[in-house]
Amino acid sequence: MRRNMPNLADIARLAGVSTATVDRVLHRRSGVRQTTVQRVLLAAGELRYLPEPELEAVRATPPTQVLFVLPGRSSKFLRMLGEWVQCSQTQWAPYNVNCRVQFIQGFDPQALASTLLRRGRGCHGVAFMPLEHPSVREAVGVLADEGVATVTLVSDLSHSRRIAYVGLDNGSAGRTAAYLIARFVGPERAAKVALIAGSLSYKAHVEREAGFLQLFAEQYPHMQVVGLREGYDDEAVNYRQARALLEQHPDLAAIYNIGGGAQGIGQALKATGKQHKVVFIGHGLTPDTRALLIDGSMDAVITQSPQSAIMNCVRIFANLREKRELTAGVEANRSQVIFRENLP
């Protein structure tokens, strides 16, 4: 009589999958596509492999698995984002979402694309900071074909199949930086201003630069931008770039740091005795930029709430699962301008 009882192999044959996949589904382990899960559960039900109460327990919606892919070392603000995900798992419980983080080497599009494909396929959704590159765009398309949704975070990805972008209006952020510099320097003064980006492979940094230059062209055409350099969010590189700019332009009036690595620029200003003479505006409130604001080396920081950014990603993936409008309950990402006197 027992020979007629169904087993994992019977379910696997009926569902058209391996016995290992059947085992993963029935033990509610992650890494199996939802369409495959449904085939296995239908087969198990048809064969009466489990009593109905146990089958219903297996059918209970498992947590949505969300992976955050972020540069690991380049930006302290991005590192803060990842650490906040790791230490806030209990906050996702009401959304039935399980979040984890994969840190990768920054500014390497091939490594990013490979990680998206290798790690993303075992998830329901991926939130990541993209580089503008065909291989990254292709990886997003492959994941979309396989039912894995992607959300771009902090920076967007042009002409891609991501389902949403969570971050600032970076053009507006760049215009804000230009306005602050003009007001600090003096709107009537003809002055030299330098820009240091993390990388123009980030759409966010390109948009910040464009917004910055646009406002200068519209309202402060007498301001002279003496060049844009890339520092790859690296403190040592930013130190060298800032020192070179200060030596090449002894009358430099301001520096706008579009990306990370603010500490390097602060060190260059201090080494040349110009920490209270050159206006310094940057992005991302971190322990480093906080210290620079306090000692007066930095004049203002344009930032956003890392908690709100991550929560918005979680809400988007929960909305997708529940077939609600993607933006339901999602708050607009607002920029804040932080000075020494209003440090939170």
Side-chain angles (χ1 to χ4, degrees), residues 93-113:
Y95 298 92
N96 197 25
V97 171
N98 180 45
C99 299
R100 53 199 171 90
V101 181
Q102 175 68 49
F103 289 111
I104 62 169
Q105 178 65 40
F107 309 107
D108 185 340
Q110 301 301 334
L112 175 56

Side-chain angles (χ1 to χ4, degrees), residues 123-140:
C123 304
H124 298 100
V126 180
F128 72 108
M129 184 172 180
L131 293 161
E132 281 285 349
H133 195 276
S135 62
V136 177
R137 202 170 289 110
E138 179 68 15
V140 169

Side-chain angles (χ1 to χ4, degrees), residues 307-326:
Q307 295 91 337
S308 294
I310 299 302
M311 184 59 76
N312 280 344
C313 291
V314 168
R315 286 185 175 126
I316 288 168
F317 287 120
N319 289 340
L320 180 67
R321 181 192 61 223
E322 302 299 329
K323 296 181 172 54
R324 293 191 293 258
E325 184 178 347
L326 287 179

Side-chain angles (χ1 to χ4, degrees), residues 241-263:
Q241 295 284 33
R243 283 297 297 262
L245 284 165
L246 292 166
E247 291 168 7
Q248 185 179 358
H249 304 283
D251 55 345
L252 189 69
I255 296 175
Y256 172 35
N257 186 38
I258 295 175
Q263 184 66 24

Side-chain angles (χ1 to χ4, degrees), residues 35-94:
T35 54
T36 304
V37 170
Q38 294 304 317
R39 287 210 316 272
V40 171
L41 293 178
L42 285 172
E46 186 175 335
L47 293 172
R48 299 183 182 277
Y49 178 78
L50 293 174
E52 191 61 30
E54 291 185 35
L55 190 58
E56 285 302 316
V58 174
R59 284 175 177 153
T61 304
T64 296
Q65 302 295 325
V66 175
L67 175 68
F68 286 82
V69 179
L70 298 169
R73 296 181 180 176
S74 59
S75 167
K76 285 186 170 61
F77 182 78
L78 295 175
R79 186 81 195 185
M80 283 173 54
L81 276 177
E83 290 172 351
W84 197 79
V85 173
Q86 291 174 318
C87 69
S88 304
Q89 290 296 338
T90 56
Q91 297 199 28
W92 319 137

